[in-house]
């Protein structure tokens, strides 16, 4: 049976700006210890892939992992989120603790589920939802590696979180000729 060819950067139907942003992610991740980030509170690289084209976002993450020689760990947030107070943070903490010291690239699928716009605190549920989002961002920023968040709509994510991302790459729906 012939060996299946790996995906290539040329297979991504993205804009030149998006392609440049993906190359910048690779370059920054390769040089993470050389770019002086250890002098700041942030240690790693937190990126957001936003847009409706899920296949393209996943392919981009796989290509980045391949180029960096790291393993892509896809974390489905549906398996992380709990109704029990503090359990979501515990599960997220385990993910980051396990990835510490490895060459793992953490990919949080459906990142907009935790990074949605913070709400006015009307009850304890609102308060804990806001705490979960803050905890994830804090751990992602402190992680000594690459963290990729995938979201369908950038507009659904709290603007304060967007400002704290190192890079945001937009993946619009491809036209029919690209499909």
């Amino acid at each position: 049976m012939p060996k299946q060819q790996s995906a290539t950067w040329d297979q991504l139907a993205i804009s030149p700006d998006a392609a440049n942003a993906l190359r910048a992610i690779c370059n920054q991740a390769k040089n993470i210890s050389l770019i002086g980030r250890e002098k700041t509170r942030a240690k790693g690289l937190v990126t957001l892939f936003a847009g409706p084209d899920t296949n393209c976002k996943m392919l981009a993450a796989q290509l980045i992992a391949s180029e960096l020689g790291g393993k892509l760990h896809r974390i489905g947030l549906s398996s992380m989120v709990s109704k029990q107070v503090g359990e979501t943070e515990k599960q997220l903490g385990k993910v980051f603790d396990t990835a510490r010291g490895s060459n793992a690239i953490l990919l949080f699928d459906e990142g907009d589920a935790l990074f949605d716009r913070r709400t006015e605190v009307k009850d304890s549920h609102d308060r804990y939802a806001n705490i979960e989002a803050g905890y994830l961002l804090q751990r992602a920023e402190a992680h000594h590696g690459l963290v990729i968040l995938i979201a369908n709509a950038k507009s659904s994510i709290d603007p304060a979180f967007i400002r704290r991302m190192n890079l945001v790459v937009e993946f619009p729906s491809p036209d029919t000729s690209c499909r």
Side-chain angles (χ1 to χ4, degrees), residues 88-90 92-93 130-140:
T88 300
E89 292 89 337
K90 228 188 259 187
L92 290 168
N130 291 344
I131 288 171
E132 286 174 359
Y135 178 80
L136 176 57
L137 187 59
Q138 177 187 12
R139 287 300 302 258

Side-chain angles (χ1 to χ4, degrees), residues 60-78:
Q62 292 165 355
L63 288 168
I64 288 171
S66 177
E67 182 160 324
L68 296 176
K71 184 171 181 180
L72 187 64
H73 289 280
R74 184 177 179 183
I75 296 104
L77 291 182
S78 62

Side-chain angles (χ1 to χ4, degrees), residues 88-153:
T88 300
E89 292 89 337
K90 228 188 259 187
Q91 294 287 14
L92 290 168
K94 287 179 186 176
V95 168
F96 284 102
D97 291 344
T98 301
R100 185 183 303 138
S102 71
N103 198 18
I105 296 163
L106 299 178
L107 173 71
F108 287 91
D109 200 0
E110 301 299 330
D112 37 4
L114 276 181
F115 282 100
D116 60 349
R117 291 181 181 273
R118 289 178 282 188
T119 60
E120 180 183 338
V121 177
K122 296 177 184 170
D123 62 24
S124 63
H125 293 85
D126 296 336
R127 180 173 174 253
Y128 285 108
N130 291 344
I131 288 171
E132 286 174 359
Y135 178 80
L136 176 57
L137 187 59
Q138 177 187 12
R139 287 300 302 258
E141 286 182 324
H143 178 65
H144 288 272
L146 176 58
V147 176
I148 301 171
L149 296 152
I150 290 183
N152 289 327

